[in-house]
Each structure stands twice: as structure tokens, then as C-alpha cells.
Amino acid sequence: MKKISALCLTLAGAAIIPLSACNTEKSGNLSSVNDVYGLGAVTSAKLLSNVSGKTVKALASVSLLADGADEAAVYAEKFNEYFTALDDFLGEDLINTVAEENKDEKYPYETKLTVTGKDISGNDVTHIMYYTETFAGEERDEDEVKTIYTLEGVMIVDGEDYYLTGEREHETEEDETEDELKIRAYADRNDKSTYVEMEQETSREPNETEREYTYSVYSAGRLVEKTSVEFETERKGAKEEAEYELEFLNGSGKGKYKVERETVGGTVQMKVKYKIDGKEGVFKIRKITDKDGNERYEYTFSDNSTKVF
């Protein structure tokens, strides 16, 4: 069983407490089940939207680089697929969720979850999720109790609906609490062979939080890309440091990106170091607004050249 921080306990005597009752409002720093659901659903759906237009052959290629390709720009483009999926949820106020009874008849689920993160500039970014969590069983072994839940719902990202399924195992043994979470996001609810699957693990120490996610991309039932993302947030007085390390375990772009982000006096600084296929380099990222008023990311490389995504 993977170790993660204690979440909302769902057993009270013999009674099962509905998940929505555990977190009807607030959160932050993944302190509740809804925070974990929200982060997992948003990042999985956004990543699926980034990669869904690519072919299996392109995703599964051994190397990102073609003859004559601009190495740094190609690595930055690959990294950007994940960065745009994850960047709303870095920082001390990692994520906030508000759960309420769903009254929208368009979505036949019990709970409406408003998920709010912050972008690279510190602005609030909000997404809506609708879901139903169902108690699926309980296993007991002496002092160990494992409770299993299934999830079904929809995540709305950029006006598009992404169908979700998931499973959560909550285990308690004396003073120890462990959880495992798996979420799948589908672009087409009638096509269960193409999806992104996220598995989550979290650990905490005083003044430090580490979170690890594994994202697996499947196309036509075939695993074409598997990526591990490990987050760490540390606060030193008024200064907050957040970083994550992204490692491609399978598919294109095998290697690592290390992302360092500091917030000092309200100013965000972000630098990305990469080591891929034996090549090392660095680039910096900032958010800009193009001439059409669209927000985009500008990447600056070691030679001061830039590329906008």
C-alpha cells in the first residue's frame, strides 16, 4: 500500500459518512479527499486534452529528436504538455475545493466540486467537476480496516467534458492512515481504450510536503507514455519554494525535468533543468499575453532565444 497523508476518515462506528459531508467547503494543501480528487481529475483531463491529438506512433517514439531538430525547443514542447496540466497547483495554497449538492440536471451526479488553483502569475484558475462516489466494500484483518470506493463523473476543462472513473482505497491501522487513488480521464465516454490514468501518493513532514503522481497515457488500449511527477513544497519564513521533478518512464522524451519555482515578495521565478537522452540544458518560463489577448507561455533558452506555446 502506498503511503499518503491522513485524509477524511470515512468510518464512524458502523456508519458510512458520505464523502461530501467530509469537505463541504475549503481545503488547501491537499488536506481532504476532495482536494485529491480535484487535483487528479483536473490534471488528468488537461493532460488528455494536450496529447489526444497525437498519434500512437508519435507518442511511442524512442527519441523526441529528428535530424536537424532544435533540441531545446523540442524538449520544451514535450515538457509543456505536462506543465500546462500541472502549473495551476504549485505553491503553498496548492488547491482549494468547495463541494456542494449538485443541482445541475445536465450532469446526473451527486456532488458538484469547484476546484481552484493558481497559475504561474498567482491568479486564481477555477474548474468544475461533477461526481458520485460509491461505497464498494470493506475488508478487515485484525486491526486493519480497508474501505473501497468507486468514482464516476465529469471534469470540465476549457469548456470540454472529460468523463471520469476512479477507485480509492482507504486503510486504517491503529494511528496510521493510508490511501491509494486511481483516476482515469476519457475524451470520449464511449471509447474506453484511449485515456489518461493517474495514480497518486503523498507524504508529509513538518514544513515540507512531497507528492508523487504517475500518469499513464493509453491509446487504442496500448500504453504509449508513462510519466512520474514528484512535487515538493517548502516554506522558510516568508519565502516559499516549490519544485517538481518530471520523469518520462516510457515512450518519448525519456529523461527528467526539474522545475524550480520561488515566490518572493509576490514575484514568481521559474526555471526548468532537463536531462534527456544524455543531453542537459535549462530554460525559463513566464506567462505572456499575445497580440490577440490570449495568455501563453514564453520559454527562454540558454542562448536567449525564445519560443511561445
Side-chain angles (χ1 to χ4, degrees), residues 16-249:
I16 299 297
I17 303 173
L19 176 61
S20 58
C22 298
N23 184 41
T24 56
E25 178 136 7
K26 136 42 314 311
S27 36
N29 300 315
L30 293 182
S31 59
S32 75
V33 176
N34 278 331
D35 289 351
V36 177
Y37 274 165
L39 176 60
V42 171
T43 56
S44 298
K46 290 181 70 174
L47 179 58
L48 180 61
S49 72
N50 290 342
V51 303
S52 60
K54 300 180 184 295
T55 65
V56 174
K57 182 178 180 180
L59 283 171
S61 61
V62 175
S63 175
L64 282 173
L65 294 178
D67 291 341
D70 183 333
E71 173 189 310
V74 173
Y75 290 151
E77 182 175 4
K78 186 61 192 174
F79 168 79
N80 194 62
E81 292 177 359
Y82 285 84
F83 178 68
T84 54
L86 298 165
D87 79 313
D88 292 351
F89 304 108
L90 283 174
E92 177 68 17
D93 295 323
L94 177 69
I95 183 173
N96 284 280
T97 57
V98 176
E100 57 188 308
E101 180 183 356
N102 178 31
K103 298 179 181 179
D104 189 336
E105 296 180 355
K106 180 181 178 181
Y107 298 99
Y109 303 105
E110 294 179 356
T111 302
K112 176 182 177 181
L113 188 68
T114 302
V115 186
T116 303
K118 292 185 181 295
D119 66 14
I120 188 174
S121 302
N123 300 314
D124 286 349
V125 180
T126 299
H127 305 280
I128 301 297
M129 174 182 175
Y130 298 90
Y131 74 91
T132 297
E133 184 183 68
T134 303
F135 173 66
E138 180 181 283
E139 299 175 4
R140 290 181 176 268
D141 183 10
E142 297 182 351
D143 294 333
E144 182 178 297
V145 179
K146 180 188 292 185
T147 313
I148 303 170
Y149 302 88
T150 59
L151 174 142
E152 186 174 5
V154 169
M155 186 80 234
I156 304 173
V157 175
D158 296 329
E160 298 291 331
D161 290 355
Y162 293 88
Y163 176 60
L164 305 172
T165 62
E167 181 176 287
R168 179 172 66 91
E169 294 184 359
H170 178 82
E171 184 175 309
T172 59
E173 184 177 6
E174 296 181 349
D175 295 332
E176 184 177 359
T177 303
E178 302 176 2
D179 281 75
E180 288 186 342
L181 174 65
K182 182 184 295 183
I183 286 182
R184 289 183 178 182
Y186 304 85
D188 182 350
R189 66 185 306 153
N190 296 316
D191 177 10
K192 298 299 176 60
S193 66
T194 299
Y195 57 90
V196 169
E197 179 177 272
M198 184 219 72
E199 298 178 84
Q200 187 239 31
E201 176 183 0
T202 299
S203 64
R204 284 187 175 85
E205 298 178 4
N207 297 319
E208 185 173 305
T209 301
E210 294 183 2
R211 297 177 298 283
E212 184 172 358
Y213 299 83
T214 301
Y215 293 87
S216 300
V217 180
Y218 288 82
S219 183
R222 177 184 174 189
L223 175 65
V224 294
E225 188 166 282
K226 187 172 185 178
T227 303
S228 171
V229 183
E230 183 174 341
F231 291 83
E232 181 175 336
T233 303
E234 185 174 2
R235 190 168 188 84
K236 299 177 180 179
K239 183 178 179 180
E240 176 187 304
E241 297 180 355
E243 66 178 38
Y244 63 85
E245 188 171 275
L246 187 152
E247 180 177 8
F248 287 93
L249 306 174

Side-chain angles (χ1 to χ4, degrees), residues 292-307:
D292 297 320
N294 301 311
E295 290 189 335
R296 303 176 69 182
Y297 291 108
E298 180 185 77
Y299 285 63
T300 301
F301 305 103
S302 300
D303 61 359
N304 290 322
S305 63
T306 62
K307 189 172 181 64

